[in-house]
Amino acid sequence: MPGEYQSGVNTELLRLKLESHGDVDIPDKVKNVSAVDSDAPLDVAMPADAIIRIKNLKKVFGDNVVLHDVNFYCPKGHVVSVLGPSGSGKSTMLRCINLLETPTAGEIWFEDQLVNSKETDVDHLRAKIGMVFQQFNLFPHLTALGNVELALKKVRKLSKEQAEAIATEQLEKVGLSDRADFLPSQLSGGQAQRVAIARALAMEPHVMLFDEATSALDPSLVRDVLDVMRDLAKSGMTMIVVTHEMAFARDVSDHVVFMEGGVVYEQGTPEKIFDHPDRERTREFLQGMID
Ligand SMILES: Nc1ncnc2c1ncn2[C@@H]1O[C@H](COP(=O)(O)OP(=O)(O)OP(=O)(O)O)[C@@H](O)[C@H]1O
Ligand SMILES: [Mg+2]
């Protein structure tokens, strides 16, 4: 929906200035959205029913500030693609969402739950927020079926029969019924990645995070994985997808977030970001991807 994700920065500043006639202090969080020049929407503009809301997220490793101030949200059923150069903080941001990294400051909301809170049950959170990595992370000693069954038995405490039934169904959905008894070493990269997707889906996640799920694959195998991701998006799954696959980002996304230097440098509809980005570095990045 055009304008749905519109940044609240300018309108909110304007409203405060108009209301205050210029003589009331404007809160810092409104004035200085980030130390770096960002296009981040403010929390005032974030709908409370978005399934993921990231507000003023900061992540520091030692004295290296990797995420300065990241703000965006993802409504239920939408696909948000995250683009940006290497080192811009895309993986770190994604890993903060399911607490593979602990945010230094800011807030991450999953549905009505503050993720970076002491009360968070991490296993429960990760069951609801599925994640697929570049390097599959399958257990090498377990078959495809065994990999998909594992968390069903350990986290969801299902019986062997129930776990097997769900795992079998999920493998079928990603087109791998005939590979259920294969070990990861006997699968192609594309097949292994589809097992990883089936494993995440088996937990019935409310949102799926993909971190360059096709980057490690031989070009001939990329399509099968992207097809599974496209079908998933069509089925209404909420997805946040870090990707270098520009055609996928353009066709499948409802919203595109461009990260640069640890901030959301520009964001908008795929049409806006790909066809007429407002900002220099977005244009340069996209041009570089085409060349
Ligand atoms: N555990 C860590 N300890 C220290 N620095 C880290 C750690 N993880 C990431 N970084 C640093 O954070 C920065 C951002 O890394 P990140 O992996 O999030 O970038 P990225 O946008 O995903 O890049 P790429 O496109 O190459 O995957 C990098 O400078 C990286 O060295
Ligand atoms: Mg990365």
Side-chain angles (χ1 to χ4, degrees):
M1 215 179 289
E4 193 178 350
Y5 293 84
Q6 218 103 65
S7 157
V9 176
N10 297 335
T11 47
E12 181 64 5
L13 254 180
L14 189 65
R15 184 181 70 72
L16 285 165
K17 276 184 183 153
L18 288 172
E19 282 179 4
S20 68
H21 305 286
D23 56 11
V24 168
D25 273 353
I26 294 172
D28 278 351
K29 70 171 185 175
V30 175
K31 253 192 316 200
N32 302 316
V33 174
S34 160
V36 181
D37 189 15
S38 90
D39 181 44
L42 295 170
D43 51 3
V44 289
M46 283 200 196
D49 60 351
I51 200 161
I52 296 283
R53 287 173 288 148
I54 300 179
K55 299 179 181 182
N56 308 115
L57 174 63
K58 183 170 184 175
K59 176 65 186 174
V60 177
F61 290 110
D63 53 10
N64 185 12
V65 183
V66 170
L67 300 176
H68 290 267
D69 189 358
V70 172
N71 295 268
F72 74 91
Y73 61 90
C74 183
K76 191 170 163 48
H78 282 213
V79 177
V80 172
S81 289
V82 181
L83 316 179
S86 183
S88 58
K90 305 178 299 295
S91 296
T92 304
M93 179 278 293
L94 215 57
R95 291 164 61 82
C96 284
I97 297 177
N98 66 0
L99 292 183
L100 286 172
E101 299 292 355
T102 308
T104 305
E107 293 175 10
I108 297 177
W109 289 85
F110 165 56
E111 297 174 334
D112 58 358
Q113 182 189 352
L114 180 63
V115 167
N116 50 325
S117 140
K118 285 195 181 77
E119 271 89 68
T120 298
D121 175 338
V122 175
D123 283 343
H124 184 75
L125 179 83
R126 292 193 190 141
K128 294 287 158 223
I129 303 179
M131 184 152 180
V132 176
F133 304 86
Q134 189 175 333
Q135 302 293 348
F136 333 133
N137 298 348
L138 297 177
F139 288 105
H141 62 292
L142 294 178
T143 62
L145 191 75
N147 267 283
V148 181
E149 282 177 344
L150 189 66
L152 292 169
K153 291 192 277 201
K154 297 272 182 227
V155 180
R156 282 180 64 189
K157 313 277 184 215
L158 299 184
S159 68
K160 189 172 169 14
E161 291 72 29
Q162 287 171 315
E164 188 174 334
I166 294 174
T168 303
E169 186 188 330
Q170 290 302 334
L171 285 176
E172 191 184 330
K173 279 194 185 154
V174 298
L176 290 176
S177 297
D178 58 342
R179 293 290 185 275
D181 298 328
F182 283 49
L183 291 169
S185 59
Q186 300 168 320
L187 298 171
S188 74
Q191 289 167 344
Q193 190 58 296
R194 284 184 281 150
V195 173
I197 294 173
R199 175 178 60 179
L201 292 177
M203 300 300 283
E204 298 178 2
H206 295 195
V207 56
M208 287 281 287
L209 312 177
F210 291 87
D211 191 0
E212 299 198 27
T214 58
S215 297
L217 302 179
D218 196 84
S220 63
L221 302 174
V222 167
R223 214 177 84 191
D224 286 346
V225 175
L226 288 181
D227 284 348
V228 167
M229 291 169 67
R230 278 177 202 271
D231 286 349
L232 200 53
K234 266 192 222 142
S235 77
M237 176 61 77
T238 309
M239 296 163 57
I240 301 179
V241 184
V242 172
T243 186
H244 289 301
E245 294 290 336
M246 295 298 125
F248 178 89
R250 190 188 184 110
D251 298 348
V252 180
S253 313
D254 297 284
H255 189 71
V256 178
V257 167
F258 175 68
M259 285 183 68
E260 161 82 44
V263 299
V264 174
Y265 180 77
E266 184 166 359
Q267 58 179 316
T269 61
E271 293 74 25
K272 184 204 161 207
I273 297 296
F274 286 102
D275 295 339
H276 30 84
D278 288 332
R279 308 193 69 194
E280 181 90 26
R281 273 182 266 173
T282 319
R283 278 195 287 273
E284 281 170 10
F285 174 80
L286 291 170
Q287 193 56 47
M289 295 304 288
I290 295 164
D291 290 345

